[in-house]
Amino acid sequence: MESTTAVKKKTMTLVQAITDGMRTMLAEDENVLVLGEDVGKNGGVFRATDHLQEEFGEGRVMDTPLSEAGFIGAAIGMAVNGLRPVAEIQFLGFIYPAYEQIMTHASRLRSRTMGHFTVPIVIRAPYGAGVRAPEIHSDSTEAIFTHMPGLKVVCPASPVDAKGLLIAAIEDPDPVLFLEPMRCYRSSREEVPVGKYTVEIGKANKLQEGNDVSIITWGAMVPVASQAVKEMEAKGVSCELIDLRTLYPIDRDTIAASVQKTGRTVIVHEAHGTGGVGNDVLAIVNDTSFLYQKAPVERVTGFDSPVPFFGFEDEYLPTPARVKHAIEKVIKF
């Protein structure tokens, strides 16, 4: 955690921490505003913007038409002209109509104008499976956006990180896609500093020290991997657990230092295996630490299929058992 100015803490869920982060910045900076479908009167589909319109008015927290391309394009125009919009996409699977605006304009304007203009926009998007949502609501397609230079991609897994990274994203001069794992919204609570603080974008978090194998993950897979780590420790296997927190730019130094220490790597993510961000992590391991490896890198991912309907959703997602199997495989190699 960086730049902590408050010592008082309050117990929050991840979604409450996100709300508190937006409230903090709306109160501090009149150029910050929130927009999206149902973010105002209804407080958002997950109530992440609950009561913010009451506190700051319709001019700062505004409902938009059902047009992702329209309100993301409008937010880009606001950002270029000095505002700091925080736009909410109800589910990551709804972002595709806005892809052209993000790819063609938000990520490129700094380069296109040779640094004369920046686009300080945050695009919040709940994502991921495991909450029994309908089709298109459960996509984990973060890799589409990490292949977009000029756009930062952030994915917190805890309330403390969620608030600190969101404030850092709002203050960032460039566009940030802020992914919010829905399974983590209300699954746990922790003490979160009251007031303003930031967590550095681009810096991974080493959740646990270990010597035998490095487990690298993010988002809703953090608690899954954590459970596997606990069970493997009971068998005498010492695991180092790393939460990337930022998917672009990835913290190469933390990955390399861990892998060079343990010599074994397991990457866990819920997105499809083909083309997933885990492949970039694997490339970093090979580029920086190939000669340190005692075993081939193992990946535990979602399958190369659309997220299935409710009855099969749990079969699609990585589980602690699958993670443990991968750990055992690299240990026994």
Side-chain angles (χ1 to χ4, degrees):
M1 189 186 307
E2 317 293 339
S3 307
T4 306
T5 58
V7 294
K8 186 178 179 181
K9 294 185 178 182
K10 183 178 179 180
T11 302
M12 299 182 192
T13 62
L14 189 145
V15 72
Q16 289 172 332
I18 289 169
T19 306
D20 197 47
M22 285 187 283
R23 179 181 290 111
T24 298
M25 294 308 294
L26 283 163
E28 178 183 282
D29 186 350
E30 64 181 10
N31 290 317
V32 174
L33 52 87
V34 173
L35 70 159
E37 299 162 2
D38 296 325
V39 301
K41 185 175 181 180
N42 288 342
V45 66
F46 292 101
R47 302 299 181 261
T49 56
D50 208 18
H51 301 301
L52 293 182
Q53 190 177 76
E54 297 173 20
E55 293 179 50
F56 299 99
E58 294 182 9
R60 302 281 307 284
V61 181
M62 58 189 75
D63 290 310
T64 68
L66 302 181
S67 173
E68 286 79 10
F71 70 75
I72 292 297
I76 292 169
M78 294 174 182
V80 170
N81 285 279
L83 298 176
R84 291 185 175 270
V86 180
E88 178 184 296
I89 302 289
Q90 286 190 336
F91 296 87
L92 182 61
F94 296 174
I95 203 172
Y96 309 127
Y99 183 86
E100 190 273 338
Q101 292 288 342
I102 300 167
M103 176 60 147
T104 306
H105 301 297
S107 69
R108 295 172 179 259
L109 269 168
R110 176 189 281 274
S111 175
R112 181 180 299 154
T113 65
M114 300 181 69
H116 289 286
F117 290 97
T118 59
V119 187
I121 178 178
V122 177
I123 302 172
R124 294 181 41 249
Y127 89 104
V131 297
R132 304 300 187 262
E135 185 185 9
I136 311 298
H137 294 64
S138 302
D139 289 3
S140 183
T141 52
E142 60 268 31
I144 294 175
F145 300 94
T146 60
H147 198 66
M148 198 180 293
L151 177 72
K152 297 181 176 75
V153 181
V154 171
C155 183
S158 72
V160 169
D161 284 346
K163 180 178 175 180
L165 283 167
L166 181 56
I167 293 174
I170 293 171
E171 293 192 319
D172 198 285
D174 294 305
V176 179
L177 177 62
F178 193 89
L179 299 174
E180 302 168 6
M182 291 185 286
R183 288 176 71 187
C184 299
Y185 264 158
R186 296 177 174 87
S187 62
S188 64
R189 298 172 181 268
E190 68 176 343
E191 293 292 301
V192 177
V194 174
K196 183 180 178 181
Y197 68 92
T198 60
V199 171
E200 182 181 355
I201 293 175
K203 184 67 176 176
N205 187 19
K206 187 186 296 183
L207 297 175
Q208 181 170 317
E209 293 274 358
N211 297 307
D212 296 329
V213 57
S214 299
I215 316 296
I216 302 170
T217 188
W218 58 90
M221 292 298 100
V222 170
V224 172
S226 180
Q227 180 61 37
V229 166
K230 291 178 183 177
E231 294 178 16
M232 291 305 297
E233 286 197 329
K235 297 182 177 182
V237 178
S238 173
C239 300
E240 185 148 292
L241 181 59
I242 295 173
D243 174 9
L244 286 182
R245 298 195 296 195
T246 300
L247 305 183
Y248 189 86
I250 292 180
D251 185 351
R252 296 172 61 92
D253 292 341
T254 296
I255 293 171
S258 178
V259 170
Q260 290 172 17
K261 178 174 68 171
T262 66
R264 304 178 183 91
T265 308
V266 174
I267 301 163
V268 185
H269 64 73
E270 70 173 88
H272 316 306
T274 298
V277 175
N279 296 351
D280 292 321
V281 176
L282 195 155
I284 290 170
V285 172
N286 282 340
D287 290 347
T288 65
S289 313
F290 179 77
L291 296 179
Y292 293 83
Q293 291 297 287
K294 301 173 184 176
V297 175
E298 283 292 315
R299 293 180 303 144
V300 182
T301 73
F303 297 102
D304 286 347
S305 70
V307 178
F309 294 115
F310 303 161
F312 299 98
E313 198 171 23
D314 290 340
E315 304 301 322
Y316 171 86
L317 289 166
T319 61
R322 287 179 60 194
V323 177
K324 286 195 299 178
H325 177 73
I327 295 172
E328 290 169 346
K329 190 173 180 180
V330 297
I331 290 293
K332 294 177 181 178
F333 181 80

